[in-house]
Amino acid sequence: MSSTTIDHGHDHSHGAHGHDHDHHDHHAPTGWRRWVFATNHKDIGTLYLFFSFTMFLMGGVLALMIRTELFQPGLQFFNPEFFNQLTTMHGLMMVFGAIMPAFVGYANWMVPLQIGASDMAFARMNNFSFWLLPPAAILLAASFFVPGGAPAAGWTIYAPLSTQMGMGMDMGIFALHIMGASSIMGSINIIVTILNMRAPGMTLMKMPMFCWTWLITAYLLIAVMPVLAGAITMTLTDRHFGTSFFNAAGGGDPVMFQHIFWFFGHPEVYIMILPAFGIISHIVPAFARKPLFGYASMVYATASIAILSFIVWAHHMFTTGMPVTAQLFFMYATMLIAVPTGVKVFNWIATMWKGSMTFETPMLFAVGFIFVFTMGGFTGLILAVTPIDIQMQDTYYVVAHFHYVLVAGSLFAMFAGFYYWGPKWTGYMYNETRGKIHFWSSLISFNVTFFPMHFLGLAGMPRRIADYPAQFTDFNQIATIGAFWFGLSQVYFLFFVVIPSIRGGEKAADKPWEGAEGLEWTIPSPAPFHTFEVPPTVK
């Protein structure tokens, strides 16, 4: 897609706008006011990214506490109740505090730049969406310090456990409500921005893949966040107001919680991977120096995944006693999702085929993503087979599977996106050697951590337990060593890649990657505070 600025008839007004904004910029808030009252999409994107990285490190500390306890059989450091709080809070912080807000940060930064819009549609709502998150995160983290401790029912907060816990569970419920409100507002903003503010000439089918994946993700969020809100509100009323939604003694059904939760929870896992697919769909063509193979099929595959995600929820519930007919339906429906996902993987590989590939850090993370995410997809396909799932359910095989798609999936794609677009954000190139160290260290340590968990699960080790029989010791020790290595790799990333590339370094070109396409590469690096005041025309 080539882009040129709009015809010269607008020159005079453009000069006036430029002058106004120069004048205005001098009075733009600085210091803490710039961030607290931020309405600029780039500043808000930056806030989201910093918030999510903070939560990522917090969730990572909890993960390392889990792995420390599991280094040896027997109870070493924590009692089982606290161990359950660690597993629950690790999941909640990573899903709602790290992965989701990070992708919203990417959307805030990149969607207006990619569609030639001057900003997001609702700038003040954008500010509010972000500032709901820190209080929610504080509320969630503070639950560790109240009587009874943090929620300990697993990140899925299943009844009846969640209806029997102390006030930490109420804090968790309110934190999720606030984060859900933030997600819904952010999604409305993204949808309206994409549908109403594209540059002249940019039809939907000319739109960058990242914008497509986020448009579809935003519709998913609006559809399912209220379902989660309903589930946790029913939990709240069961806890305090005498209802019996999930209490069998009062005529309710604890399994109903699982149905409602997973009707949210399955689309949620696609919410956490579709934006990653979008990022990878930009990086692979850029470093293969070829256009994306099968753009239209990518768009249709993304939409298919989103639609199918609503009819597979009960594959999380094969052991709850559903009828065989239902088991078959959910098994086949789940396998169907492998088709559009396979289309995507095929398109990425076909894009690389006979391309002039170079392997800078963004491409390393993209290729690493495709390889390891595909492995996670295959283990998911295995878990879709009902009789196998009944054996594997709630074992470490499941833990291995979803970390392959969420860490090697969502997280690796975000790293790829940072290395790819980071020079545009900061104006400085990262250090390529350090980027490669970060990639190889992360890739190897990730596999050392999570690959052995497949074997633990096949051997029957249940998840969410603080102790285990001696025969599981070796693989657990390997996993724990890998986890500390992986955690240190991310600390390395923060101190040796992120902070140095914010502070300075080699100046980034306006288009640092020769194969990169899109409007975001037509503006200076670093991206100025105001961009596309006059929309570009897309040819």
Side-chain angles (χ1 to χ4, degrees):
M1 148 195 349
S2 68
S3 59
T4 53
T5 26
I6 206 152
D7 60 317
H8 291 279
H10 286 277
D11 266 5
H12 179 70
S13 65
H14 176 72
H17 281 302
H19 179 74
D20 282 352
H21 272 282
D22 288 344
H23 183 68
H24 181 74
D25 280 349
H26 292 304
H27 299 288
T30 51
W32 62 270
R33 280 186 180 84
R34 172 181 172 183
W35 300 103
V36 173
F37 303 129
T39 48
N40 182 283
H41 72 99
K42 302 177 185 80
D43 283 355
I44 293 172
T46 304
L47 285 168
Y48 268 106
L49 291 170
F50 275 113
F51 169 82
S52 62
F53 200 76
T54 307
M55 291 297 282
F56 171 62
L57 294 177
M58 285 171 65
V61 169
L62 301 186
L64 294 183
M65 290 166 78
I66 292 167
R67 287 310 323 164
T68 305
E69 174 58 57
L70 293 174
F71 188 70
Q72 284 183 306
L75 294 177
Q76 316 295 323
F77 300 96
F78 311 124
N79 65 32
E81 292 78 13
F82 183 69
F83 183 86
N84 291 347
Q85 295 174 32
L86 290 177
T87 54
T88 302
M89 294 289 283
H90 165 70
L92 290 173
M93 282 183 176
M94 287 303 200
V95 169
F96 296 102
I99 301 286
M100 290 171 69
F103 278 136
V104 180
Y106 276 89
N108 263 295
W109 250 106
M110 298 316 302
V111 165
L113 294 184
Q114 290 193 326
I115 63 172
S118 55
D119 207 304
M120 297 292 280
F122 304 115
R124 291 188 183 166
M125 185 169 83
N126 205 10
N127 174 286
F128 188 46
S129 302
F130 172 75
W131 283 112
L132 283 175
L133 291 175
I138 291 165
L139 190 61
L140 188 62
S143 66
F144 271 120
F145 305 104
V146 298
W155 82 275
T156 52
I157 45 185
Y158 277 4
L161 280 173
S162 57
T163 52
Q164 293 169 9
M165 288 180 168
M167 64 172 90
M169 178 57 70
D170 301 313
M171 295 167 78
I173 287 171
F174 284 123
L176 288 180
H177 267 303
I178 297 167
M179 288 170 161
S182 165
S183 286
I184 290 170
M185 286 192 291
S187 300
I188 291 169
N189 216 341
I190 289 165
I191 289 171
V192 175
T193 304
I194 290 174
L195 292 185
N196 287 348
M197 297 175 69
R198 297 193 307 285
M202 184 179 283
T203 59
L204 281 174
M205 291 308 280
K206 278 188 193 167
M207 196 164 72
M209 268 316 297
F210 181 69
C211 297
W212 258 117
T213 54
W214 243 116
L215 179 65
I216 290 166
T217 301
Y219 277 112
L220 280 181
L221 274 164
I222 289 174
V224 301
M225 288 316 284
V227 178
L228 175 68
I232 60 181
T233 305
M234 291 153 87
T235 307
L236 197 68
T237 59
D238 271 13
R239 289 168 56 81
H240 298 293
F241 301 111
T243 55
S244 294
F245 291 112
F246 310 128
N247 179 3
D253 182 1
V255 176
M256 180 169 75
F257 178 89
Q258 298 188 28
H259 279 290
I260 301 168
F261 179 87
W262 284 115
F263 191 79
F264 146 80
H266 204 82
E268 164 68 16
V269 300
Y270 293 99
I271 286 163
M272 291 189 285
I273 201 65
L274 290 180
F277 290 166
I279 293 172
I280 301 304
S281 301
H282 283 273
I283 293 171
V284 169
F287 292 92
R289 290 155 179 84
K290 280 174 63 189
L292 179 67
F293 180 91
Y295 171 88
S297 64
M298 270 310 213
V299 173
Y300 297 134
T302 308
S304 310
I305 289 171
I307 292 160
L308 290 171
S309 76
F310 284 100
I311 60 162
V312 297
W313 78 90
H315 68 204
H316 299 268
M317 300 171 56
F318 284 146
T319 55
T320 54
M322 68 168 78
V324 173
T325 323
Q327 291 183 338
L328 279 172
F329 169 81
F330 285 107
M331 177 167 98
Y332 293 141
T334 305
M335 291 183 159
L336 208 54
I337 286 199
V339 177
T341 313
V343 168
K344 287 179 164 298
V345 173
F346 173 81
N347 285 2
W348 292 322
I349 292 170
T351 304
M352 292 188 271
W353 181 251
K354 294 195 173 172
S356 313
M357 285 204 289
T358 53
F359 292 96
E360 289 88 344
T361 312
M363 186 61 162
L364 285 177
F365 269 107
V367 175
F369 165 93
I370 294 168
F371 173 63
V372 198
F373 173 81
T374 304
M375 284 169 60
F378 276 125
T379 55
L381 209 49
I382 289 165
L383 288 169
V385 182
T386 312
I388 301 180
D389 181 81
I390 288 167
Q391 297 300 310
M392 293 298 121
Q393 204 251 353
D394 259 331
T395 68
Y396 264 79
Y397 193 89
V398 178
V399 179
H401 155 68
F402 71 70
H403 283 87
Y404 265 76
V405 287
L406 276 177
V407 183
S410 307
L411 186 66
F412 277 19
M414 283 190 241
F415 287 148
F418 170 81
Y419 287 106
Y420 182 62
W421 285 313
K424 180 59 67 186
W425 301 343
T426 63
Y428 298 110
M429 289 304 288
Y430 62 89
N431 180 305
E432 189 65 61
T433 309
R434 291 175 180 182
K436 286 187 162 70
I437 290 170
H438 174 229
F439 168 73
W440 286 109
S441 185
S442 296
L443 183 75
I444 297 166
S445 59
F446 166 79
N447 283 290
V448 169
T449 306
F450 294 105
F451 201 74
M453 293 185 188
H454 294 102
F455 301 123
L456 287 169
L458 288 164
M461 180 172 165
R463 64 176 176 168
R464 296 180 184 167
I465 53 157
D467 186 14
Y468 54 85
Q471 72 257 31
F472 299 135
T473 308
D474 291 351
F475 280 141
N476 271 299
Q477 294 192 337
I478 293 169
T480 295
I481 292 164
F484 274 89
W485 179 8
F486 186 82
L488 288 172
S489 307
Q490 309 328 313
V491 175
Y492 175 89
F493 171 64
L494 174 63
F495 286 106
F496 292 92
V497 180
V498 178
I499 293 172
S501 65
I502 292 171
R503 284 195 170 160
E506 184 196 336
K507 287 295 237 185
D510 290 354
K511 187 174 152 183
W513 317 113
E514 57 170 302
E517 291 291 331
L519 291 177
E520 70 260 42
W521 307 110
T522 63
I523 58 171
S525 297
F529 195 68
H530 293 289
T531 43
F532 298 124
E533 288 175 344
V534 173
T537 304
V538 176
K539 294 284 191 287

